[in-house]
Amino acid sequence: MTTLVAPVADLLVRQRAYWNTGATHSLEFRLAQLKALREAILTYQADIIDAARQDLGRPEFEACFEIGTIGELDYVIKHLPRWVKHRKVSLSLSQKPGSAWVQPEPLGVVLIIGPWNYPFQLIISPLMGAIAAGNCAILKPSELAPATSKVLARLVEATFDPAHVALVEGGVDTAQALLAERFDHVLFTGGERVGKLVMQAAAQHLTPVTLELGGKSPCIVDVDVNVEVAARRIVWGKFLNAGQTCIAPDYLLVDERVKAELVTALQQRIVECYGENPAENPDLSRVLNDCQFDRLVGLLNQGNILAGGEHDRSDRYIAPTLIDSVSWDDPIMQEEIFGPILPILTYRSLDEAIATLRQRPKPLALYLFSRDRQVQTQVLDRTTAGSVCINDVILQVAVWNLPFGGVGSSGIGRYHGQHSFDTFSNLKSVLKKPFWMDVDWRYPPYEGKVKQFRKLIGLS
Ligand code: NAD
């Protein structure tokens, strides 16, 4: 396929041979590698922050989110000794005497492909799960965040034996060359279109996949809210990283009775955060590249701009923007926005809002602002999403023991914390029987045993 096929194949052979030695399996080895990763992140932290600035114009505060993945690493290091243990399960009467348990074991050699928007974190977070579960791993970061890709390459080379963890830099060709090989698991983070290609390629080897995709995450604002606090949280979550966050609220769905008050609060909050001229504000990230910039500016032609709208291609700057008067058929409501533009739609009744959401693809995240417990219950019980956060945004991603992932077109599978460990493990089922009792009921000849068997399995 490409000139990369041979080296990639060689790397795989090397990793598979290493995995087969069993060197990666012990708890001591896994913990030592995780601790080495922790040290490496601390050693390279200035480079990681600088790379996020180069790739995405990130302010230092937001660049630190990349390093914030160390919080998950500490959580994994702390709990791994418990996760690796056998998980005992009870036996029914018909299976006794005996014992049964789930025995997690490493899968083998896994592939992790990352996106550009949180380019460090979204390689390192899956990697810690892969190492914790005792696997070898090949990493392919996004070519669209080249400075971060280089730092990651240096960090991985300086920290790991390439037979255990290796990083391959490159773009689509490299990803395709990797995907042509047989891995034991592929964890992909990126868009829906490429996610389908990854799944197709993996299917050739029957390789299981975890697909962490995107989509349009709604944010419902009920009438029973603290408008000021809701506006603070929404503005933060939406304009963080210039809206290039997979779980950012994509659009607002607001009870029409609270819209005017909310819009005023959002407008004020944007000024408080980013000043009268956000172009000069150091706390606003930039759009990734010209292609993304042009796509986003194209979305500004719809509806009625309530705040922002200014943009400058030479700086890939788009002001934090609020838009209303858009319809579900407009392009802005058809594609994932993934930029600093927030459409505001309204609803008359919660039933109407829920019915609207139920017609749309299942989102990665859903946000609800409401103090009303009945509203909370209605939304939780009658809508679906990979994750829900009530009265805040984004923060659910940093609860390490909550499984993270999508549903339907927003993804397949879960990771973070123990869910990463389980994703990268074969949860092997084991049943162990003693010799000391061997009742005759299951063996032929069956004559005269049907009644006894039916009773045993609960049939009359
Ligand atoms: P992308 O799908 O374009 O690229 C992701 C990775 O796939 C990159 O490493 C890229 O090199 C590789 N790739 C691109 N084309 C390929 C092909 N034809 N075959 C194989 N590999 C290919 O995604 P992106 O633009 O980097 O990221 C943005 C998307 O990722 C958004 O949709 C966002 O919502 C989503 N995302 C999801 C999560 C999550 O956790 N669910 C997190 C971040 C981003």
Side-chain angles (χ1 to χ4, degrees):
M1 184 191 292
T2 73
T3 51
L4 280 159
V5 170
V8 160
D10 288 350
L11 191 54
L12 247 128
V13 169
R14 215 174 140 195
Q15 288 211 345
R16 210 167 277 292
Y18 188 63
W19 188 75
N20 279 329
T21 66
T24 66
H25 295 210
S26 76
L27 175 61
E28 292 69 32
F29 177 87
R30 302 182 200 191
L31 286 173
Q33 298 297 313
L34 291 169
K35 287 174 185 166
L37 177 60
R38 189 182 196 286
E39 279 308 303
I41 294 173
L42 293 177
T43 304
Y44 284 84
Q45 56 180 306
D47 295 345
I48 297 162
I49 289 171
D50 190 51
R53 186 189 51 74
Q54 288 179 51
D55 288 331
L56 290 147
R58 285 252 189 103
E60 184 177 349
F61 184 89
E62 291 182 10
C64 285
F65 289 3
E66 298 285 340
I67 301 165
T69 196
I70 215 161
E72 184 183 4
L73 191 45
D74 287 338
Y75 179 85
V76 171
I77 290 169
K78 181 172 171 202
H79 294 283
L80 185 59
R82 185 166 54 81
W83 298 341
V84 297
K85 287 190 178 145
H86 299 179
R87 305 172 195 174
K88 208 166 163 24
V89 301
S90 59
L91 285 182
S92 65
L93 187 64
S94 61
Q95 289 280 15
K96 285 181 179 167
S99 56
W101 65 90
V102 173
Q103 182 163 336
E105 64 179 13
L107 287 170
V109 181
V110 304
L111 174 63
I112 295 167
I113 300 179
W116 54 261
N117 63 328
Y118 289 88
F120 183 82
Q121 188 189 127
L122 293 174
I123 287 288
I124 295 297
S125 170
L127 173 63
M128 62 183 84
I131 294 174
N135 298 286
C136 295
I138 295 183
L139 316 173
K140 209 299 278 172
S142 173
E143 73 284 14
L144 298 180
T148 304
S149 177
K150 287 211 163 40
V151 177
L152 272 166
R154 279 170 41 223
L155 181 153
V156 167
E157 198 183 350
T159 312
F160 299 105
D161 179 343
H164 178 218
V165 178
L167 184 143
V168 184
E169 284 195 274
V172 178
D173 283 357
T174 307
Q176 287 174 339
L178 284 162
L179 286 164
E181 300 295 329
R182 185 176 70 78
F183 285 89
D184 297 291
H185 194 94
V186 176
L187 188 147
F188 167 83
T189 307
E192 191 182 329
R193 182 189 68 82
V194 181
K196 288 179 185 168
L197 298 174
V198 168
M199 197 164 173
Q200 268 172 18
Q204 302 311 310
H205 302 288
L206 280 182
T207 297
V209 290
T210 301
L211 300 180
E212 297 288 336
L213 310 178
K216 292 183 83 62
S217 297
C219 177
I220 304 171
V221 185
D222 177 43
V223 73
D224 186 1
V225 286
N226 179 325
V227 173
E228 301 304 321
V229 176
R232 286 165 68 89
R233 294 176 181 175
I234 291 166
V235 164
W236 172 73
K238 178 67 189 190
F239 300 114
L240 171 77
N241 202 24
Q244 301 163 120
T245 303
C246 59
I247 49 167
D250 187 273
Y251 61 93
L252 300 185
L253 198 48
V254 182
D255 186 310
E256 61 179 12
R257 291 169 292 175
V258 79
K259 183 188 166 191
E261 200 187 338
L262 181 70
V263 167
T264 304
L266 291 168
Q267 288 166 328
Q268 281 171 2
R269 190 61 197 157
I270 288 172
V271 175
E272 281 163 19
C273 286
Y274 302 108
E276 293 290 350
N277 183 7
E280 286 172 7
N281 190 289
D283 292 336
L284 186 70
S285 297
R286 293 300 186 255
V287 172
L288 174 79
N289 56 23
D290 290 348
C291 175
Q292 290 293 329
F293 178 90
D294 293 341
R295 179 184 67 79
L296 287 164
V297 169
L299 298 180
L300 294 173
N301 298 328
Q302 302 141 52
N304 172 36
I305 293 183
L306 301 170
E310 304 84 12
H311 47 88
D312 175 2
R313 195 170 197 266
S314 67
D315 191 26
R316 298 195 312 276
Y317 160 76
I318 299 178
T321 298
L322 305 176
I323 294 186
D324 74 352
S325 307
V326 293
S327 84
W328 291 99
D329 298 326
D330 287 330
I332 197 166
M333 293 310 296
Q334 295 287 317
E335 62 182 81
E336 181 182 10
I337 297 171
F338 220 56
I341 306 171
L342 183 62
I344 303 170
L345 292 91
T346 54
Y347 63 86
R348 287 205 182 116
S349 70
L350 189 64
D351 279 349
E352 177 199 325
I354 290 173
T356 305
L357 292 180
R358 288 175 68 95
Q359 287 165 16
R360 315 206 54 84
K362 297 173 180 176
L364 186 58
L366 184 146
Y367 301 107
L368 167 66
F369 284 86
S370 177
R371 276 187 285 236
D372 185 328
R373 288 197 177 213
Q374 279 189 351
V375 170
Q376 294 174 3
T377 305
Q378 287 289 314
V379 170
L380 282 173
D381 290 355
R382 293 170 58 202
T383 66
T384 186
S387 64
V388 174
C389 182
I390 297 175
N391 296 331
D392 215 319
V393 293
I394 311 280
L395 298 182
Q396 77 274 20
V397 73
V399 181
W400 308 125
N401 42 355
L402 275 178
F404 182 76
V407 54
S409 58
S410 59
I412 295 174
R414 290 286 187 274
Y415 79 127
H416 283 189
Q418 184 173 1
H419 306 282
S420 292
F421 176 85
D422 287 356
T423 286
F424 286 113
S425 294
N426 174 36
L427 299 178
K428 186 162 67 183
S429 300
V430 182
L431 172 65
K432 184 169 141 185
K433 304 286 275 184
F435 284 112
W436 58 265
M437 190 160 115
D438 191 40
V439 270
D440 204 35
W441 62 265
R442 67 182 149 136
Y443 302 121
Y446 297 129
E447 199 187 336
K449 294 179 179 170
V450 172
K451 204 170 164 197
Q452 188 192 357
F453 178 57
R454 287 178 65 90
K455 201 172 164 195
L456 191 70
I457 61 175
L459 298 172
S460 56

